[in-house]
Amino acid sequence: MGNCLSDWIANRHINKLKMCGASLNKVALTVCLFIGTILIIVSEIFELKPLHKIKDWNIQTELAKLNLAELSTMKVLKERRQHLEKMCALHPEISKQNTPGGSVMVGKHFPFVYCNIQKVGSSTFKRILYSLEKNISNPYKMRAIEAHLHGGVRTYIVKQNNIDAKMLNKIENYTKVVIVRDPINRLISAYWDKMYSINPSFWCRRNIAGMIFNLYRRGKVSTDDTSTVNSFNESGDTSTNNDTSVPNCICDISFKEFIGYIIQQDNKHINLNKHWRPLYKNCNPCKDMKYDVIAHLETFNEDTNFFLKKISGTNQQHDEHDSDVITREVDILLRGYSMPQTKSMCGYSMQDLIVRAFQGLVARGYISQGAMLPALNPDPKFYTRERLYALFLKLYQTSNGYRISKAELRRNMLKQLPSDMIEKIYDIYKYDFELFGYEY
């Protein structure tokens, strides 16, 4: 009897243990499936290479760093790469084009290659990368205007045409990044930066403004001509170097004239200025190299955050200060005022330049439309860099009222163009729209 009872008790415990074991197995299986799924997703998004090629890769450490926002960003970046590969396959002619090529910035202490394109946040991104290399926490200590001229930055720049087999081998496992932007918004930015902002070197008759004047204002092409695009097919010389009938300083170029000039240059198969040259002609993603990160200026902070973490540059500040645009405008104003042609050829005083800069900031939505400039001091020496910065920053931060949005600015600019010019611009930048997934 005792043995039977003990056997019965033992069997009950064994059955309970079996049931408990089965339950534990289900939990363990669920956890394993969950972890496995996450690993598959991460490996798909990261497109992980064999582990022996990944320097200091620790999957547990990397998983711990991820959050939902970063997973979302990685998914978007992967979709951009897949879209680009699809478009390159659809347009094999792109890889066969002899593009002018640009320059890349190659890291010395961090494994990155950045293809530099003008008017796509390049001054900001160069400062971020240079500060990262030099262990400077705040990249905005360097002025935007210095990003392209600073001697230290230049030591990281390599012309794409000078990249040889040795360098290709060196950068094989580097993270390669390119930043792109909606082509129309890039053109609008180029117009305001080069044709409106204080840029006397662009305004003089020997430069672009002089050629636009010759094209539009000397009877060659009427700005009211409805067959504008056809008119740009003429092969007349727009050079103004020796033409004394062209004003020395032309600072009132319209957006329509600027776009017409681009169309005329394209029709004559002239390489466009790097500030408005098609994106893919600066960094041909179907030909030059495969980019790991295709960042968009429209999602700059998210994309930059992912890129910096990927190259272990997580201590770097990368969200651009709102006031950086004011610093940039002040520096451009002072640079323009210091140029001899500003006063001798254009006749601009310091007061004139302050008013022009103010009006440009209002037109672009950085300052509200109801803001008023205070009375200006007639003494140009009064306006030091610090005083100009304080003046514009106060207007930027305190002015109430309606500020034009970027979408409205775009609509207003495009309203100035006839439909055939818009169609031609879309044709010139067709590959930029298609390769990088922008709507047109």
Side-chain angles (χ1 to χ4, degrees):
M1 179 71 178
N3 290 337
C4 289
L5 181 61
S6 63
D7 288 344
W8 179 77
I9 292 172
N11 286 333
R12 284 196 65 186
H13 280 291
I14 290 169
N15 289 335
K16 283 184 177 182
L17 285 171
K18 286 180 178 178
M19 291 174 64
C20 182
S23 177
L24 286 171
N25 284 337
K26 288 180 181 179
V27 173
L29 180 62
T30 302
V31 171
C32 287
L33 286 173
F34 175 76
I35 294 174
T37 302
I38 292 295
L39 288 173
I40 291 170
I41 292 172
V42 171
S43 65
E44 281 291 310
I45 294 173
F46 270 117
E47 294 181 346
L48 296 181
K49 301 173 184 178
L51 287 177
H52 69 275
K53 288 188 177 181
I54 299 177
K55 183 179 179 181
D56 300 328
W57 175 264
N58 186 310
I59 192 68
Q60 291 181 339
T61 303
E62 295 303 317
L63 278 173
K65 294 178 183 177
L66 299 178
N67 57 45
L68 290 176
E70 288 166 347
L71 283 170
S72 176
T73 297
M74 287 190 289
K75 183 175 182 293
V76 169
L77 291 172
K78 182 185 178 185
E79 289 171 351
R80 288 175 188 169
R81 290 196 302 274
Q82 291 175 334
H83 175 81
L84 177 62
E85 290 172 3
K86 180 181 177 181
M87 290 299 105
C88 287
L90 189 63
H91 298 290
E93 67 277 9
I94 297 177
S95 63
K96 299 175 184 177
Q97 291 190 18
N98 292 321
T99 54
S103 60
V104 295
M105 189 172 180
V106 181
K108 297 178 182 179
H109 303 293
F110 289 85
F112 68 80
V113 177
Y114 161 56
C115 190
N116 172 42
I117 303 178
Q118 303 292 332
K119 302 312 304 167
V120 194
S122 58
S123 61
T124 298
F125 207 64
K126 277 185 176 180
R127 286 182 289 170
I128 290 172
L129 295 180
Y130 180 71
S131 298
L132 178 65
E133 286 279 326
K134 294 297 183 181
N135 198 28
I136 301 170
S137 61
N138 183 5
Y140 301 104
K141 288 182 179 180
M142 179 189 292
R143 300 175 188 175
I145 204 169
E146 296 175 342
H148 305 296
L149 303 173
H150 193 282
V153 175
R154 286 186 173 184
T155 63
Y156 293 86
I157 302 300
V158 179
K159 292 286 185 182
Q160 286 195 36
N161 295 335
N162 294 334
I163 298 178
D164 54 17
K166 182 178 179 181
M167 175 161 282
L168 282 173
N169 184 61
K170 174 186 174 183
I171 65 176
E172 180 183 1
N173 293 318
Y174 281 24
T175 298
K176 301 168 186 68
V177 59
V178 61
I179 306 177
V180 297
R181 182 183 194 176
D182 179 281
I184 299 298
N185 291 342
R186 180 167 173 252
L187 283 175
I188 292 171
S189 176
Y191 168 76
W192 283 102
D193 189 40
K194 302 305 175 188
M195 295 293 109
Y196 183 89
S197 291
I198 292 70
N199 270 300
S201 59
F202 275 82
W203 296 347
C204 72
R205 74 179 186 195
R206 288 185 173 87
N207 209 315
I208 291 168
M211 290 188 279
I212 294 176
F213 182 93
N214 222 8
L215 181 67
Y216 270 115
R217 303 186 187 181
R218 298 187 64 198
K220 286 196 171 187
V221 177
S222 169
T223 55
D224 297 322
D225 188 353
T226 56
S227 59
T228 314
V229 172
N230 292 332
S231 301
F232 290 139
N233 286 320
E234 63 182 62
S235 59
D237 182 16
T238 57
S239 173
T240 58
N241 288 352
N242 301 314
D243 192 340
T244 56
S245 64
V246 177
N248 285 324
C249 184
I250 308 157
C251 55
D252 59 346
I253 298 298
S254 69
F255 184 61
K256 182 178 179 181
E257 291 173 325
F258 173 65
I259 294 299
Y261 164 75
I262 292 174
I263 293 173
Q264 186 261 0
Q265 294 281 288
D266 181 75
N267 284 339
K268 293 170 69 175
H269 306 291
I270 297 173
N271 286 330
L272 298 179
N273 181 285
K274 62 183 178 181
H275 294 92
W276 46 86
R277 182 185 302 149
L279 298 164
Y280 82 96
K281 289 191 175 182
N282 287 276
C283 300
N284 191 330
C286 302
K287 178 183 179 182
D288 297 331
M289 61 179 68
K290 181 179 179 180
Y291 292 95
D292 304 292
V293 178
I294 302 166
H296 283 201
L297 193 65
E298 294 81 2
T299 53
F300 182 83
N301 283 344
E302 297 89 339
D303 298 345
T304 302
N305 181 58
F306 168 79
F307 165 75
L308 289 174
K309 283 196 172 185
K310 192 169 174 62
I311 63 170
S312 302
T314 51
N315 65 333
Q316 179 65 290
Q317 175 183 327
H318 65 272
D319 51 329
E320 184 174 8
H321 291 173
D322 291 336
S323 59
D324 192 54
V325 67
I326 301 301
T327 304
R328 191 177 316 174
E329 202 69 23
V330 167
D331 287 337
I332 290 173
L333 189 159
L334 289 173
R335 181 189 63 182
Y337 184 72
S338 68
M339 293 180 177
Q341 59 263 46
T342 303
K343 288 165 276 188
S344 63
M345 294 195 303
C346 300
Y348 269 129
S349 65
M350 174 59 79
Q351 287 180 310
D352 294 330
L353 296 182
I354 292 173
V355 171
R356 186 179 179 99
F358 168 75
Q359 291 173 341
L361 289 168
V362 171
R364 286 173 283 171
Y366 294 112
I367 294 175
S368 69
Q369 294 190 336
M372 299 286 290
L373 264 176
L376 299 177
N377 193 310
D379 182 7
K381 294 180 180 179
F382 173 81
Y383 289 104
T384 61
R385 184 177 186 274
E386 290 70 26
R387 283 175 171 164
L388 282 172
Y389 178 75
L391 169 67
F392 283 110
L393 185 64
K394 184 177 180 180
L395 289 165
Y396 174 80
Q397 292 178 334
T398 63
S399 57
N400 298 317
Y402 178 73
R403 298 187 188 214
I404 189 170
S405 67
K406 291 181 180 179
E408 187 176 357
L409 173 63
R410 178 185 173 117
R411 288 194 297 271
N412 290 344
M413 302 297 283
L414 290 178
K415 282 179 184 177
Q416 302 174 35
L417 308 179
S419 59
D420 61 340
M421 289 184 78
I422 293 175
E423 289 174 7
K424 180 61 179 176
I425 283 296
Y426 279 129
D427 183 59
I428 293 173
Y429 295 92
K430 172 186 174 182
Y431 288 141
D432 283 353
F433 283 103
E434 293 192 13
L435 291 174
F436 303 115
Y438 290 101
E439 295 182 0
Y440 64 97

